[in-house]
Amino acid sequence: MTLWECPFPISDYPAVLMAHGGGGRLTHTLIEQLFLPAFANPALELQHDGAVLELELSGSRLAFATDAFTVSPLFFPGGTIGSLAVHGTVNDLAMCGAQPIALSASFILEEGLPMEDLWRIVQSMQQAARSVGVPIVTGDTKVVDRHKGDGVFITTAGIGHVADGIEISPRRARPGDRVLISGAIAVHGIAILSVREGLEFETTLESDSAPLHHLVARILEVAGAGVHVLRDPTRGGLSSALNEIASQAQVGIRLDESSIPMGEAVRGACELLGLDPLYVANEGKCLVIATPDAAETILATMQAHPQGAESAIIGEVTADHPGRVVMRSRVGGTRVVDMLSGEQLPRIC
Amino acid sequence: MTLWECPFPISDYPAVLMAHGGGGRLTHTLIEQLFLPAFANPALELQHDGAVLELELSGSRLAFATDAFTVSPLFFPGGTIGSLAVHGTVNDLAMCGAQPIALSASFILEEGLPMEDLWRIVQSMQQAARSVGVPIVTGDTKVVDRHKGDGVFITTAGIGHVADGIEISPRRARPGDRVLISGAIAVHGIAILSVREGLEFETTLESDSAPLHHLVARILEVAGAGVHVLRDPTRGGLSSALNEIASQAQVGIRLDESSIPMGEAVRGACELLGLDPLYVANEGKCLVIATPDAAETILATMQAHPQGAESAIIGEVTADHPGRVVMRSRVGGTRVVDMLSGEQLPRIC
């Protein structure tokens, strides 16, 4: 089935009504004709108040994460709010060193949302979940009045399994550790902004929204306890993520500007718009902080992975200036890279 | 600390700004000064992308549930959107036969929300979580522009543990089973509506919002495998919940109107407003469908519990009219009780 062959009788209900959230007949029509066929899996089909999962785990550590998604516009090059909501929570689990087991999805719909838009979002969500290999096992739908929402907000939560021997925590960064990133920065934020602002590039700039759990699994396979911190630099970008880690671990971080991968289109757009790419969101990139002896192996592993071809070592953890991130610029100077203050790009995730 | 001694410097930021959702400095101020002190627990304090939980479970069945909350108004007699969001997801887990382990909380804030309102909501959420005995271990906050939200929406997700031998499913209702309810119906919906409409009663009508996991634990303790279905009749009320079960199990359900517990104020309000109490939401009541030989023991156990003093056996599962719910009225006639069609009371949860 393509994205466009919608079996839901949208001619009956071309737009979302308040009653689709009322818990009665229309809510059930929506669940049975739209959500269940898309997300089809045994746990969801029971239509219970929650899902009951049979787990066969070695060890007993479970990761649990959630994210709300309010991105505007709902559709953008490289994804939709639905695929982003799947990737975002899968990545939060992956950053805990976990492999995802199951997702939940809660929808807050605005009265009047075209039913076809909802259908397309749900389809892209399911495509993302299928390609991740993780079922959406439980959910909820509410409807709010016109002008009390904005089309659709989606909150996903996820559970994942953390294997024995894995200890990932922002507090584990140690002086001497290397800082790696899995590819070019600032792509998601600029892709969203280019749609909003109607910017034209030579090629369409697509969001980097992607699931990172396979890449993380490979990294943990080759480097195990050598991996100290994982973090996906989403809202607030690379600089905010690294500032958080520096502050929590009470270490310094020194970046080398020339080693940070960045595409030409993104660089150009940032210059044009007066944006600092270090503060622009990523949705398919992973920071890895690891011991110096593990760093080269991790780098080679990341570069050999489809999601990490452009990976690079971009800096180092230091005992100097604890709590601060500094960057050696291309021209040789050093500047403090502070946490984002204020708001650069609202509603990019 | 009372609800009103807010240590968050609201004089600096008396209302929510877009930047509180930007992932930078203001987001961190909000997390560190408002969310962390309220929800204080070790997993949350790590401020990781998700929480990692050490579980010591007998057996390996995990329940996973989520609910979005968009109730209006945010504050109502007997609760707030925050306490409701805790109770709602705890109850979804309880209806799977699970005892709750941990909750997540995602906030979608509207720009301009008074910071003190957010503070009061978070406090009531934490009071609810503490009284349930379940930590809020991970979360997320987004901010949307004015008129693109409605103060605050909260999505909670929860995980819980299902003990060995417990098999709760809407499909397990069997002819001959008894239908029990844990107390008076339609209280939550009427409490919300009375605030919206400015209705005056002799006493304030408070929402029944309450956690049901202790009551469920007692029921499962005394009746174990004799319990077939648990369901909290929220949106769509008693009739929609029972219609769902009848449809999924392909059984009939026969109710006896005179045995359904209902308060006088609620009955009066429903008559005044032309509402059928069978369709009005409950937020602290539990339907139990159990074998006939277990029913009396369950009833006595429920009545002895603070959350179930007014419990009653209100009907029976039948082999007749599969998929339908019928009710013998006070005056002796029988009518079909259909699923809610359309929307009676929008945004009550």
Side-chain angles (χ1 to χ4, degrees), chain B residues 128-201:
Chain B
R130 192 186 304 123
S131 104
V132 166
V134 176
I136 295 170
V137 294
T138 191
D140 187 40
T141 307
K142 294 285 172 7
V143 180
V144 296
D145 334 54
R146 271 172 213 270
H147 309 302
K148 302 288 187 186
D150 195 14
V152 51
F153 302 139
I154 303 177
T155 299
T156 45
I159 54 177
H161 176 233
V162 183
D164 288 342
I166 305 299
E167 283 297 342
I168 307 297
S169 162
R171 299 197 182 173
R172 290 195 70 219
R174 293 282 173 275
D177 282 357
R178 300 297 189 263
V179 179
L180 299 90
I181 190 150
S182 66
I185 67 165
V187 181
H188 177 73
I190 296 299
I192 296 289
L193 198 69
S194 68
V195 186
R196 278 198 214 148
E197 306 288 324
L199 298 184
E200 298 271 336
F201 301 103

Side-chain angles (χ1 to χ4, degrees), chain B residues 289-300:
Chain B
I289 296 182
T291 56
D293 51 317
E296 290 297 336
T297 310
I298 293 172
L299 180 65

Side-chain angles (χ1 to χ4, degrees), chain A residues 145-183:
Chain A
D145 334 52
R146 270 172 214 270
H147 309 301
K148 302 288 188 187
D150 194 14
V152 52
F153 302 140
I154 303 177
T155 299
T156 44
I159 55 176
H161 177 232
V162 184
D164 288 342
I166 305 298
E167 283 296 341
I168 307 296
S169 161
R171 301 198 181 173
R172 290 196 69 219
R174 294 280 174 277
D177 283 357
R178 301 297 189 265
V179 180
L180 299 91
I181 190 150
S182 67

Side-chain angles (χ1 to χ4, degrees), chain B residues 118-316:
Chain B
L118 180 58
W119 173 256
R120 288 168 60 199
I121 288 164
V122 165
Q123 290 297 305
S124 91
M125 200 166 180
Q126 173 56 12
Q127 286 188 347
R130 192 186 304 123
S131 104
V132 166
V134 176
I136 295 170
V137 294
T138 191
D140 187 40
T141 307
K142 294 285 172 7
V143 180
V144 296
D145 334 54
R146 271 172 213 270
H147 309 302
K148 302 288 187 186
D150 195 14
V152 51
F153 302 139
I154 303 177
T155 299
T156 45
I159 54 177
H161 176 233
V162 183
D164 288 342
I166 305 299
E167 283 297 342
I168 307 297
S169 162
R171 299 197 182 173
R172 290 195 70 219
R174 293 282 173 275
D177 282 357
R178 300 297 189 263
V179 179
L180 299 90
I181 190 150
S182 66
I185 67 165
V187 181
H188 177 73
I190 296 299
I192 296 289
L193 198 69
S194 68
V195 186
R196 278 198 214 148
E197 306 288 324
L199 298 184
E200 298 271 336
F201 301 103
E202 283 180 24
T203 54
T204 303
L205 195 62
E206 292 208 340
S207 165
D208 60 346
S209 175
L212 294 164
H213 61 303
H214 285 311
L215 177 65
V216 164
R218 280 292 295 145
I219 293 169
L220 294 174
E221 207 176 298
V222 299
V227 183
H228 288 166
V229 188
L230 296 166
R231 180 62 61 98
D232 57 336
T234 57
R235 275 185 300 180
L238 186 66
S239 64
S240 297
L242 289 175
N243 267 283
E244 282 172 28
I245 294 165
S247 161
Q248 287 191 261
Q250 278 302 297
V251 294
I253 294 178
R254 189 172 54 234
L255 294 176
D256 176 17
E257 184 174 20
S258 63
S259 64
I260 300 174
M262 197 181 337
E264 278 314 307
V266 166
R267 190 186 305 276
C270 284
E271 280 174 11
L272 188 71
L273 298 162
L275 296 173
D276 185 338
L278 293 180
Y279 295 95
V280 178
N282 310 274
E283 290 289 346
K285 297 302 178 325
C286 176
L287 282 164
V288 183
I289 296 182
T291 56
D293 51 317
E296 290 297 336
T297 310
I298 293 172
L299 180 65
T301 303
M302 289 168 77
Q303 287 175 335
H305 192 278
Q307 233 106 56
E310 296 179 277
S311 296
I313 295 175
I314 61 172
E316 192 174 329

Side-chain angles (χ1 to χ4, degrees), chain A residues 169-179 228-229 239-255 289-290 315-326 336-337:
Chain A
S169 161
R171 301 198 181 173
R172 290 196 69 219
R174 294 280 174 277
D177 283 357
R178 301 297 189 265
V179 180
H228 288 167
V229 188
S239 65
S240 297
L242 289 176
N243 267 283
E244 281 173 28
I245 295 165
S247 161
Q248 287 191 261
Q250 276 303 298
V251 294
I253 293 177
R254 189 172 55 234
L255 295 176
I289 296 183
E316 192 175 329
V317 178
T318 66
D320 301 340
H321 52 81
R324 299 206 122 182
V325 180
V326 301
V336 171
V337 176

Side-chain angles (χ1 to χ4, degrees), chain B residues 86-96 210-213 232 283-284:
Chain B
V86 169
H87 296 156
T89 290
V90 165
N91 290 349
D92 278 352
L93 294 172
M95 298 308 120
C96 297
L212 294 164
H213 61 303
D232 57 336
E283 290 289 346

